[in-house]
Amino acid sequence: MPPITTSLLVVALAPLIACGDNIKRFDDPDAGIDGPVDAEVDPYPWQIPPGLPTPLVPADNPMNVDKVELGRRLFYDTRMSGNQTFSCASCHHQELAFTDGMATPIGSTGQAHPRNSMSLTNVAYLGRYTWGNPLLAELETQAVGPMFGTEPVELGLRNLDAVFLARVEAEPIYPPLFASAFPGDPSPISIMNVVRALSAFQRTLLSGNSPYDKYLQGDVTAVSASALRGRDLFNSEKCECFHCHGGFNFQDVNHYVGKPFVEARFHNTGLYNLNGTGDYPAPNRGIYELTLMPADMGKFRAPTLRNIAVTAPYFHDGSAATLDDVLDHYAAAGRTISSGPNAGVGSANPYKDTLIIGFTLSAQERADLLAFFDSLTDDVFLTDPRFSDPWH
Ligand code: HEC
Ligand code: HEC
């Protein structure tokens, strides 16, 4: 048997992973909180926070309660790594909105990952996954990466799928749970079903109970006047933030069916400009890493700003320690690094998005923007027992 590599698995999974017409879709991700909600009714008892739409579900991976419970068990299970030291939760901690507080993580075998662990807040609403991959359009495909990937090793399951499945089978909780999660499947304990269960669990990680959400729902006392001034700055033509962090999830628009390069959006925000060439440091050069097109240098996805106050450090490489540093970067229309291997004037990056224009903030305006960010923290989400470690 040939070694199972990530790409082989993706190819193997491709026909089984829904794409295109069989996906239920939130049709207008640009819509505000009162926007249209997917009319199709799913029998799964979603507990969707008020104002959020029904998540997309691939036709071949329908939601059910046992599948979500199975996915949660797997997410928190160190059997998920080759040496049984790591689980998904090792890099995705609930109380940090499923980030890990590190600039960049270390995988199960000690290898450094070049990218910052991402929040899993509302991942159900994304059209593209990870910081910069125009092709990664499904949670099902994404999960294969940390399990089997080798550049770098995260969970380190490559070539160990039989060993891993035997381990899973030996845990008394699992066989009946796989059977009820995948009714009608004669051999439900499979890599593909592990991936499906993980994805079903992740689709339930919905966050929409922040003070700002409560304000939108009519509780005018839920947020401070300062936060509301910050919201107005965020949405102003002075700061331009809303263009890339807009809609109900404060993230880039992500339609996805059939036109990955057209409909996904990625931006160079002027974080680096090595030697004035526009380059970002490898291997963090954005979608350029995949397309090798010069214009794609430094282009990354604009992530959700929900729960942003608890997900420091920031950016694809964790290179901004605080939200103050993030604001300094945007105010300067790009970051200047004066010495060291990454020195350069980011604001002069030739590939920079035209919306990164710079602005001046008074101390009060800065405090207002930070208060707005704080108002996006959803404590219900960060402490919801449904998302916590089921093994302890
Ligand atoms: C070693 C740490 C580590 C482990 C273990 C890990 N992740 Fe991640 N996760 C990351 C990093 C780093 C990224 C960003 C990757 C990138 O952009 O290339 C990420 C990104 C993601 C994303 C994309 C989120 C988004 O907004 O696009 C999802 C979903 C995800 N991980 C789920 C999982 C699941 C499921 C597992 C277990 C099977 C897992 N992760 C294991 C570090 C980790
Ligand atoms: C042109 C699109 C664009 C605009 C305008 C924009 N952003 Fe971003 N934002 C991005 C992208 C892309 C990233 C990821 C950049 C990276 O890591 O290389 C990002 C990252 C961030 C992050 C870090 C997210 C994380 O999880 O680490 C914060 C916070 C943020 N932006 C806030 C803002 C604020 C505040 C404004 C307005 C002052 C703003 N953005 C304007 C595209 C944009």
Side-chain angles (χ1 to χ4, degrees), residues 26 29 33 46-56 97-98 118-129 139 199 201-210 213 246-252 254 301-307 376 378 381-382 386-387:
F26 181 71
I33 206 105
W46 294 103
Q47 294 182 36
I48 302 177
L52 293 188
T54 304
L56 323 176
F98 296 95
M118 298 189 91
S119 167
L120 302 183
T121 299
N122 291 340
V123 280
Y125 300 124
L126 289 173
R128 291 294 179 279
Y129 292 90
L139 278 170
S199 305
F201 168 64
Q202 292 184 92
R203 290 194 172 95
T204 69
L205 300 177
L206 300 179
S207 173
N209 290 305
S210 68
D213 292 302
F248 70 89
N249 209 34
F250 307 96
Q251 72 190 18
D252 234 336
N254 283 298
R301 214 189 78 217
T304 181
L305 299 187
R306 285 185 176 274
N307 299 309
L376 299 177
D378 176 355
F381 178 73
L382 303 180
R386 291 179 303 141
F387 309 148

Side-chain angles (χ1 to χ4, degrees), residues 103-105 111-117 131 151-152 282-284 315-318:
T104 52
Q111 240 181 309
H113 198 300
R115 304 255 168 104
N116 179 254
S117 298
W131 283 102
E151 293 176 24
N284 282 332
F315 298 138
H316 63 267
D317 54 359

